[in-house]
Amino acid sequence: LAAVAQPDNTRTLAVRDPWTEESVAAKLRFHELGSGFIADLMDDAARLGPAAGPESLGQALDRHIAFAPLPAEPDGPIVLIGQPGAGKTAAAAKIAVRAVLAGRAATLITTDPSAGAHAQIAAFADLIRLPVESATDAATLAALVARLNAENSARALVIDTQGVNPFDRAELSELRTLLNACGPTAEPVLVAHAQGGRDLEDQALIFKAIGARRLIVTRLDITRRLGGMLTAARTAGLALAQASSTPYIAETLEPLNPFALARRLLTGDPAAPLTKDRLTGASP
């Protein structure tokens, strides 16, 4: 886009190279969006103005996918769920950091009984000087949440659950029991790799069925194709919340918006790794 001076000295944005239907469709196919999803986006974008490029595609994305970042000061416990190795523990620490920066007390809780999991979250908590608690069964977790809320009702509770196999009914049942123990104000949030592809779509549907309403995607720094995360969010009706491009706790989760995603889909270098500055930013 280039700034163009008008006769009245105002400036507007004009497109240097108009986006053609063929070029846009080719870029969306590279990202492995399904043909039906591409057709829907193209139809909506065309109605909004084919020469607008990323802006019209962003508006089309906004019609098909919800965007809802987690609040910095959540009303109830945030419970991170997902398969093993999805990045839940680092995401939990980042959410807690954000709450502290917003002026809230925060506590990290792990429900993973393994020594390694407790050591990892304890290491994160030590770095950001936050208390960490452990509860490996539903009864202990319910009592812990009740005690912490009684001590300080404004405290942000971030609960890192043990990774589960989404295709194992017994593990999902145990997770449901843990979620019920967190109280009626708790929100389960799915954390998943952006690289998940069609498997991510299956996961999103399964975790949506047990209460997830939002999706945090991780490993965007090593993800080239965005079709998996976009299709999963659309199919399961999960709102895209935040993204993680690094495991470092100092680099907090970044909110996603449809216009930044549209710019990445259409103007990003497919050969370059995806970084958060290409994904986030204000809408046009």
Side-chain angles (χ1 to χ4, degrees), residues 145-204:
V145 169
R147 174 174 65 81
L148 292 172
N149 283 333
E151 292 174 355
N152 182 355
S153 61
R155 185 198 313 264
L157 299 180
V158 186
I159 303 173
D160 178 27
T161 65
Q162 182 178 13
V164 301
N165 178 352
F167 308 110
D168 187 311
R169 290 186 178 181
E171 291 189 15
L172 283 176
S173 179
E174 291 179 7
L175 179 58
R176 283 179 187 268
T177 302
L178 279 175
L179 292 177
N180 290 335
C182 296
T185 62
E187 180 183 353
V189 178
L190 175 59
V191 180
H193 297 161
Q195 301 167 305
R198 292 301 298 271
D199 285 339
L200 177 52
E201 186 176 352
D202 294 338
Q203 288 182 52

Side-chain angles (χ1 to χ4, degrees), residues 2-284:
V4 178
Q6 301 298 308
D8 59 358
N9 291 324
T10 61
R11 298 171 72 81
T12 61
L13 293 177
V15 178
R16 284 198 185 118
D17 299 307
W19 296 102
T20 66
E21 182 176 344
E22 293 77 11
S23 68
V24 170
K27 290 176 182 296
L28 297 181
R29 285 195 297 270
F30 169 82
H31 285 278
E32 298 182 350
L33 275 74
S35 58
F37 194 2
I38 291 175
D40 289 343
L41 290 174
M42 296 290 289
D43 287 346
D44 283 349
R47 283 194 293 270
L48 293 165
E55 183 177 356
S56 62
L57 180 61
Q59 292 180 61
L61 282 171
D62 201 26
R63 292 186 174 192
H64 290 273
I65 298 173
F67 293 82
L70 286 169
E73 301 182 58
D75 294 329
I78 298 297
V79 190
L80 301 186
I81 61 176
Q83 69 177 16
K88 295 185 298 298
T89 302
K94 292 181 179 188
I95 292 169
V97 167
R98 201 163 68 114
V100 170
L101 292 175
R104 294 275 295 276
T107 295
L108 287 167
I109 300 173
T110 179
T111 68
D112 192 332
S114 66
H118 190 276
Q120 182 185 22
I121 200 166
F124 284 144
D126 185 59
L127 283 174
I128 54 183
R129 299 180 181 179
L130 283 180
V132 61
E133 300 276 0
S134 179
T136 57
D137 61 73
T140 304
L141 180 59
L144 176 60
V145 169
R147 174 174 65 81
L148 292 172
N149 283 333
E151 292 174 355
N152 182 355
S153 61
R155 185 198 313 264
L157 299 180
V158 186
I159 303 173
D160 178 27
T161 65
Q162 182 178 13
V164 301
N165 178 352
F167 308 110
D168 187 311
R169 290 186 178 181
E171 291 189 15
L172 283 176
S173 179
E174 291 179 7
L175 179 58
R176 283 179 187 268
T177 302
L178 279 175
L179 292 177
N180 290 335
C182 296
T185 62
E187 180 183 353
V189 178
L190 175 59
V191 180
H193 297 161
Q195 301 167 305
R198 292 301 298 271
D199 285 339
L200 177 52
E201 186 176 352
D202 294 338
Q203 288 182 52
L205 288 167
I206 291 168
F207 286 110
K208 170 68 178 293
I210 63 171
R213 301 194 302 272
R214 302 189 226 215
L215 170 63
I216 293 173
V217 289
T218 60
R219 297 191 178 183
L220 285 177
D221 52 324
I222 53 175
T223 300
R224 296 178 69 199
R225 293 168 175 83
L226 305 185
M229 63 181 252
L230 295 176
T231 302
R234 183 197 192 204
T235 301
L238 293 178
L240 283 176
Q242 273 96 341
S244 174
S245 299
T246 168
Y248 299 112
I249 304 306
E251 298 288 342
T252 59
L253 295 173
E254 298 290 338
L256 295 174
N257 73 67
F259 299 99
L261 282 170
R263 286 194 292 270
R264 176 62 181 91
L265 287 168
L266 295 184
T267 65
D269 177 4
L274 188 60
T275 56
K276 65 180 181 182
D277 60 305
R278 291 194 179 101
L279 260 180
T280 58
S283 60

